[in-house]
Amino acid sequence: VGEGPTGVALDEVRNKLYVVNRFDSDLSVVDLTDDSSVLLPLGFDPSDSKITDGRWLLYDAEGTSAHGDISCASCHVFGEMDNIAWELGSPNGTFVNPVNPLGSGFHPIKGPMATQTLKGLSNNAPFHWRGDFAVFSDFNNAFVALQGRQNPIAPALMTDFEEFVQTLITTPNPNRNIDDTMPISFNGGDPARGEQLFSTGGLFQVIGVSECVDCHILPTGARGTVIPPINVEGTQDMVVPHLRNLHKKTGFDPKSPQTKRGFGFLHDGTFADLRTYFKNFPVFTFNDDTERIDVEAFMMCFGGGPHPATGAQWTMDGTNGQARVDTLVAEADLGVIGLIAKGRDGSGQMRGYAYLGSGLWRPDRAAEPDTDLPTLAATAGPGTELTFTAVLPGEEFRLGVDRDDDGFLDRDERDVSADPDDPLSTPATVVGASVFANAPGPALWMTGQNPTRSLSRMGYSLGRTGPARIEVFDIAGRRVQTLVNNPAAAAGRFESVWDLRDSRGRQVSSGTYFVRLSTPQGTTGKRVVVLR
């Protein structure tokens, strides 16, 4: 098989094994009668070099361990957890002085520590349960101390690894509603009341701290502060952990030989559920079990990661309505998700659409005008079903209408027998003409993180050569910055970057801003949320 095998399917009738090679973007078809195989390409891989350059350091056992039998992914499975607690301390290690003046320091014998996820590490230093790794490069020692490698990873490769890990994001919490609200009830508790208790209930009695939120700052629950053991009646210094993946730690039953997970909550996986932890930890001052259950319900519905609608779908067949799609459109108008639609039209052709906002959908044929949801919904029926999918913001244009990100729309490529999965196969190479010359209007989409703390990256396309202006406005309608002001902009696809500064070079404050692209063919915009 190829590099990065991540999916396997067995066809017992034909005696074939199918293996998806994620890194090579191909499919191995293995004939199990003689172990011969053929490779089939899976098409365009949009992965950025920040992903591909450092990804192998997570998975490659041969290059990162002494015997080629262990890698970071052995425990951090697909960048996540193995649900096991490990004692990875060393009796030959050295004591590290505390980072908190009231702390006890870091003993080389750590005790059992549950494997933590690598997802969401960006901007969440210090690392590890104890916060004893100030920067990501401190993990380099693990290649020698844990995996037996003779030498640490070269600094340049460690930088590649860090850039890759920073692209890993937490998965949406499935316990939240697709409009990013919490359910009315969860596992017998009231999440809304639990959030109130978490924020203002006075449940925590430590000098200078009375609220859970004082340490576990919303929206992620992390704070980046190392807490001395005296403050939490513990045995060693611990960093305030984030709370975004608590819903993945359920299912541990210490009283049963059959349990879904090997360990539960807390750094050593001691507790099967949070309500038991609350009851047995003396620094909490809950009045009764109802309060404990309500706070547990809130924490099981904790947000702080990607929008919970990400990945949500609805297939319209002409009989099942569009209420779910209306909800997704409302969230897309807020800029927190992207939205696409895929299906076949009345002639049997595959079609795609990207939601631009303000009720408009861009079709995957450049000569066609933008359309609206009622028009799309009217086409849905038996054989012409239309599937709507919520995607990460900024990905809707590529996933909806330009699969290989080559600047030519998918249907235009299919119309002239070009391959929409191959950026080297375009209408220009097939028939020598750019379909963008007939594009009806401009398009603007986000290509970077939104909300953002550093930069706001956006892509835009122009159907015709002519004046183009991209401006940023605050919520009061005041122009903050002009990103593009070109009286003779060429047709095509481009990128613009806003450094979150105003026209005088000053950093803008937290809040909502609006980016507007204006051309003679039309105006479109996107919402950007800035976090400080």
Side-chain angles (χ1 to χ4, degrees):
V1 298
E3 293 292 324
T6 56
V8 177
L10 175 64
D11 185 342
E12 294 184 274
V13 175
R14 297 177 178 83
N15 207 25
K16 303 283 188 183
L17 182 70
Y18 301 89
V19 182
V20 175
N21 304 309
R22 179 67 182 85
F23 300 173
D24 289 340
S25 192
D26 56 28
L27 178 74
S28 292
V29 182
V30 182
D31 188 334
L32 297 179
T33 59
D34 58 7
D35 288 340
S36 62
S37 65
V38 295
L39 291 176
L40 302 176
L42 292 178
F44 173 65
D45 181 359
S47 300
D48 187 89
S49 61
K50 287 186 177 181
I51 296 174
T52 57
D53 288 351
R55 180 172 54 191
W56 69 275
L57 288 159
L58 176 64
Y59 296 101
D60 192 323
E62 184 175 355
T64 63
S65 67
H67 303 294
D69 58 353
I70 187 172
S71 70
C72 300
S74 298
C75 296
H76 298 285
V77 183
F78 293 112
E80 279 279 11
M81 310 169 291
D82 60 1
N83 299 304
I84 298 176
W86 300 88
E87 166 55 276
L88 299 179
S90 171
N92 297 321
T94 57
F95 179 84
V96 178
N97 291 326
V99 297
N100 187 319
L102 300 178
S104 61
F106 303 115
H107 195 281
I109 300 297
K110 305 176 182 181
M113 299 275 179
T115 303
Q116 292 180 293
T117 180
L118 296 181
K119 295 182 177 181
L121 288 192
S122 182
N123 298 318
N124 272 314
F127 305 115
H128 270 175
W129 283 106
R130 304 195 303 178
D132 47 354
F133 283 7
V135 293
F136 185 83
S137 58
D138 289 341
F139 284 105
N140 203 340
N141 182 60
F143 290 106
V144 176
L146 300 182
Q147 295 172 212
R149 202 172 187 271
Q150 185 174 3
N151 299 306
I153 298 296
L157 293 178
M158 201 63 192
T159 298
D160 289 343
F161 191 24
E162 179 176 10
E163 289 185 345
F164 162 66
V165 170
Q166 287 182 346
T167 69
L168 303 179
I169 60 175
T170 56
T171 52
N173 188 338
N175 297 333
R176 295 180 72 85
N177 299 322
I178 64 169
D179 61 356
D180 205 19
T181 59
M182 293 184 293
I184 296 175
S185 176
F186 183 84
N187 198 23
D190 181 343
R193 182 169 181 263
E195 182 176 17
Q196 180 183 7
L197 290 167
F198 185 91
S199 300
T200 61
L203 302 177
F204 202 71
Q205 295 303 314
V206 174
I207 297 175
V209 177
S210 61
E211 310 294 351
C212 300
V213 75
D214 289 340
C215 290
H216 296 285
I217 300 173
L218 301 178
T220 66
R223 181 174 178 171
T225 302
V226 176
I227 304 297
I230 190 174
N231 281 18
V232 290
E233 298 195 14
T235 59
Q236 54 184 318
D237 295 354
M238 292 285 171
V239 72
V240 177
H242 73 79
L243 305 175
R244 291 172 295 180
N245 66 339
L246 294 180
H247 62 281
K248 296 183 178 182
K249 296 193 173 189
T250 59
F252 170 52
D253 185 354
K255 298 179 181 179
S256 172
Q258 295 181 343
T259 180
K260 291 182 180 179
R261 303 187 193 278
F263 293 82
F265 296 94
L266 212 59
H267 67 279
D268 55 3
T270 303
F271 293 98
D273 52 62
L274 291 175
R275 63 186 70 177
T276 304
Y277 164 57
F278 296 150
K279 198 166 189 175
N280 286 273
F281 210 49
V283 297
F284 292 118
T285 59
F286 288 92
N287 290 314
D288 50 42
D289 282 342
T290 299
E291 288 188 348
R292 295 185 184 94
I293 293 171
D294 287 345
V295 173
E296 178 187 56
F298 164 62
M299 296 179 75
M300 288 295 101
C301 300
F302 205 83
H307 193 280
T310 305
Q313 292 186 312
W314 184 253
T315 298
M316 294 178 62
D317 61 8
T319 66
N320 57 351
Q322 64 180 60
R324 187 175 177 89
V325 177
D326 290 338
T327 300
L328 295 178
V329 168
E331 296 303 302
D333 280 333
L334 295 175
V336 293
I337 59 170
L339 192 57
I340 67 172
K342 294 280 189 175
R344 293 186 182 274
D345 62 18
S347 63
Q349 292 184 330
M350 286 294 301
R351 299 304 308 269
Y353 303 87
Y355 185 60
L356 304 178
S358 303
L360 295 178
W361 293 78
R362 174 62 47 85
D364 60 355
R365 184 177 277 139
E368 294 179 356
D370 295 339
T371 187
D372 56 25
L373 184 57
T375 302
L376 284 179
T379 67
T384 58
E385 294 86 357
L386 199 59
T387 297
F388 295 81
T389 305
V391 300
L392 289 171
E395 293 296 320
E396 61 270 18
F397 200 86
R398 184 184 66 80
L399 293 174
V401 297
D402 186 10
R403 170 71 180 86
D404 55 8
D405 208 23
D406 62 356
F408 296 90
L409 303 189
D410 293 344
R411 189 65 252 170
D412 288 316
E413 297 207 59
R414 291 188 173 100
D415 286 344
V416 295
S417 299
D419 186 354
D421 248 358
D422 183 357
L424 300 180
S425 173
T426 71
T429 62
V430 174
V431 299
S434 170
V435 296
F436 262 111
N438 298 317
L444 178 70
W445 60 94
M446 307 309 297
T447 60
Q449 291 186 341
N450 189 19
T452 180
R453 297 179 185 274
S454 55
L455 297 174
S456 179
R457 297 181 180 274
M458 61 208 76
Y460 64 99
S461 67
L462 304 174
R464 296 178 176 85
T465 298
R469 178 189 290 264
I470 299 180
E471 300 164 292
V472 181
F473 297 86
D474 64 17
I475 199 166
R478 297 177 296 237
R479 184 169 58 231
V480 174
Q481 181 64 281
T482 299
L483 304 179
V484 174
N485 185 14
N486 190 340
R493 284 165 57 89
F494 309 94
E495 184 181 60
S496 182
V497 179
W498 178 34
D499 61 3
L500 308 189
R501 295 181 181 273
D502 64 16
S503 58
R504 296 184 180 181
R506 300 171 300 187
Q507 284 191 342
V508 300
S509 58
S510 299
T512 300
Y513 296 83
F514 300 91
V515 181
R516 186 175 69 190
L517 168 61
S518 303
T519 74
Q521 286 73 47
T523 299
T524 186
K526 281 293 182 182
R527 185 188 307 249
V528 175
V529 177
V530 175
L531 302 177
R532 294 298 188 189

